[in-house]
Amino acid sequence: MTHAPHRALARITALATATLLAAGTAQAVVGTPGTTEFGGSMADITYGNGGNIFQLEPMLYMLGLGDAGNPQTVAGRNPALQSSFSVSGAGTGLMVIDYQVRNTSASDTFNQLRFMVYANPDGAADFMDTLSETWGPATAGDPVLREGRAYVDPVTGIKPGFGLNNNLSEGLQPLDLDCTGGAGCDATVGLQWNAPQLGPGQMFRVRLGLSDDGQALSKRFLQATAVSDPGTVLTFSGTGVVTAVPEPGAVWMLLAGLGTLGSLSRRRQAG
């Protein structure tokens, strides 16, 4: 297996550091990634005994706004759309990345949204992992498509394929057999959520979970286990949902109403 020299060097440096920090004991997903890029793309998220998510990147497709790309880039093509993300649970066994795409328009509806998160986990310094999955019937919020296969190259890999096809390509096909046993593979994985419409005042929210102690946010998830260290396992899961976004005025009215109810309750107790 070969990698571009700068890619391999970056990986080896990050993984060597993570291995020294791990000191032979399982570590929680580490707090702040080594780098956080525009729109939620991240790199060098350590986990387990020297595991490292070399690259993690969200991608969004929305009908009429061009091919899939970084959520902030896609949202920037229409002034009614806003994209943001936040990270919680850093330094624990489950780190959650919360991606949000809002429709601030009072009248426009956006159609055929597809949100994918791509990741390249490296379980140890040799990059080799075996992939497994729990993928039963879909329940509300579960990802609808997944992909797991060996790293190929930046042209034919999962991420650019999604950008060109506006969809994960494998659908319900089996995981790459080269990655499900034996020597494993330099794995890449992806999860996808679909939303038929994003109406006025609605938000498409995708919560991604990265865990090194088996926690999953949904009943459908992938796991990458380091070939050289079976105790280093990344659980890759998440949920996606379209919800209404309350207007700021409605929030203040709700808070005022709750304050009034509290005041009345105190008066009754005093009486």
Side-chain angles (χ1 to χ4, degrees):
M1 182 187 335
T2 60
H3 292 278
H6 68 279
R7 183 171 186 260
L9 180 60
R11 283 182 165 193
I12 291 170
T13 301
L15 289 169
T17 302
T19 302
L20 289 172
L21 291 174
T25 60
Q27 301 294 304
V29 174
V30 170
T32 304
T35 57
T36 301
E37 301 172 0
F38 179 74
S41 298
M42 300 182 188
D44 299 334
I45 305 171
T46 57
Y47 64 94
N49 297 320
N52 178 275
I53 303 174
F54 176 69
Q55 184 180 14
L56 186 145
E57 184 169 347
M59 299 187 75
L60 172 70
Y61 168 79
M62 199 175 293
L63 185 65
L65 295 182
D67 290 335
N70 183 286
Q72 288 193 15
T73 301
V74 174
R77 296 170 188 161
N78 189 297
L81 294 170
Q82 297 179 355
S83 173
S84 62
F85 73 96
S86 60
V87 179
S88 60
T92 73
L94 175 65
M95 188 171 87
V96 175
I97 307 172
D98 196 340
Y99 302 102
Q100 299 179 354
V101 180
R102 295 189 182 204
N103 179 4
T104 64
S105 171
S107 57
D108 294 338
T109 295
F110 297 90
N111 300 309
Q112 295 186 24
L113 288 75
R114 299 176 188 130
F115 198 106
M116 187 194 87
V117 183
Y118 157 91
N120 183 196
D122 293 326
D126 61 4
F127 313 148
M128 304 303 283
D129 290 273
T130 58
L131 296 179
S132 59
E133 65 178 339
T134 295
W135 202 264
T139 58
D142 284 347
V144 295
L145 293 175
R146 59 90 179 101
E147 200 165 336
R149 54 190 166 103
Y151 177 89
V152 184
D153 59 59
V155 176
T156 60
I158 293 175
K159 183 178 63 173
F162 177 75
L164 294 173
N165 302 320
N166 306 321
N167 218 336
L168 278 170
S169 61
E170 291 191 7
L172 296 179
Q173 296 300 312
L175 299 175
D176 190 335
L177 293 180
D178 290 338
C179 302
T180 57
C185 70
D186 182 4
T188 59
V189 294
L191 295 176
Q192 180 178 313
W193 294 263
N194 295 341
Q197 290 186 329
L198 188 68
Q202 289 188 321
M203 175 174 65
F204 187 19
R205 181 185 186 190
V206 172
R207 305 194 75 194
L208 180 73
L210 305 171
S211 174
D212 70 351
D213 61 8
Q215 298 183 66
L217 299 181
S218 56
K219 295 181 179 179
R220 287 181 164 186
F221 55 88
L222 303 177
Q223 289 186 307
T225 302
V227 171
S228 61
D229 180 5
T232 295
V233 183
L234 174 69
T235 300
F236 189 60
S237 68
T239 60
V241 64
V242 173
T243 61
V245 179
E247 294 294 329
V251 173
W252 283 113
M253 289 177 64
L254 174 62
L255 293 175
L258 291 174
T260 300
L261 289 175
S263 177
L264 290 173
S265 175
R266 287 191 296 273
R267 288 179 182 177
R268 288 174 180 173
Q269 291 175 359

